[in-house]
Amino acid sequence: MERDEELLLAVLNSEPVIDGLVSDHLDGDPGERFAHRWGGTGSDAEREGLRRVREALRAAIRESSADPLSAVSDIVSTAVKVPQVTSEGLSWRLEAPADFVLSMETIAAWSSVLTRHPGRLRPCANAECNLFLIDRSRPGTAKWCSMAACGNRMKARAYADRARSQDGRRTD
């Protein structure tokens, strides 16, 4: 997995449901460590920007709409890409205020994933889960953030529901 995809999923999935409760990994010391791990400042402003980006991108992915993205337009407007010529050719460097670089990189990663993997970024099919996945399966039919957790749980529920419905139809 490329760094941009890892960053995007890390931000989108930074608010998991654990034992039925939502846990925000961008809060407090864990949030600072999260930002530092991705090369950010860890400041309150940076973490607030990441929260806004997280919520806007989640809404855009779920709703397939551009409306939620207006919430991050001020962050995007603070950034520019500057060309750099190196011995390896032309590259582009992102320039933005320090507290918004990580948010901009997350938005750029989202855009890149949409371009490279159209239709493959989606929320987990488990309604009780708050996570997202990038479907890398050949047929493009992955539904769960984790087969071991959500996939197994959902398949077990479906099996139990089928077994109950079959038991209800029996006339032994």
Side-chain angles (χ1 to χ4, degrees):
M1 185 178 337
E2 295 183 24
R3 182 191 186 278
D4 61 340
E5 293 175 7
E6 289 179 27
L7 172 62
L8 176 61
L9 287 177
V11 171
L12 288 173
N13 295 338
S14 64
E15 196 176 43
V17 175
I18 301 172
D19 296 327
L21 299 172
V22 176
S23 174
D24 190 348
H25 292 179
L26 295 176
D27 282 342
D29 289 339
E32 284 185 47
R33 286 191 298 275
F34 177 93
H36 287 283
R37 187 172 45 251
W38 289 101
T41 65
S43 71
D44 290 342
E46 179 178 60
R47 289 182 287 128
E48 183 55 36
L50 286 170
R51 280 187 198 92
R52 289 183 18 229
V53 166
R54 176 182 65 198
E55 296 313 310
L57 293 181
R58 283 177 167 185
I61 294 163
R62 285 189 176 112
E63 298 170 17
S64 296
S65 155
D67 291 340
L69 297 178
S70 63
V72 292
S73 64
D74 58 332
I75 293 172
V76 174
S77 68
T78 65
V80 295
K81 280 195 166 184
V82 178
Q84 287 185 293
V85 178
T86 67
S87 60
E88 297 174 9
L90 179 67
S91 65
W92 296 87
R93 184 181 76 245
L94 177 68
E95 287 188 2
D99 288 337
F100 296 109
V101 170
L102 201 50
S103 293
M104 264 310 303
E105 288 176 348
T106 303
I107 294 167
W110 166 76
S111 178
S112 175
V113 166
L114 290 182
T115 302
R116 290 191 332 254
H117 309 290
R120 299 287 182 122
L121 176 62
R122 61 181 71 114
C124 180
N126 180 355
E128 297 170 6
C129 183
N130 205 18
L131 303 181
F132 287 77
L133 65 127
I134 298 173
D135 180 2
R136 292 183 182 82
S137 69
R138 175 169 272 177
T141 57
K143 296 179 182 180
W144 302 289
C145 63
S146 163
M147 192 58 210
C150 289
N152 189 41
R153 229 177 270 135
M154 297 303 291
K155 286 184 175 192
R157 282 185 196 153
Y159 175 78
D161 289 345
R162 283 192 308 273
R164 273 193 295 275
S165 68
Q166 289 174 354
D167 286 345
R169 286 186 269 161
R170 287 189 182 157
T171 57
D172 293 342

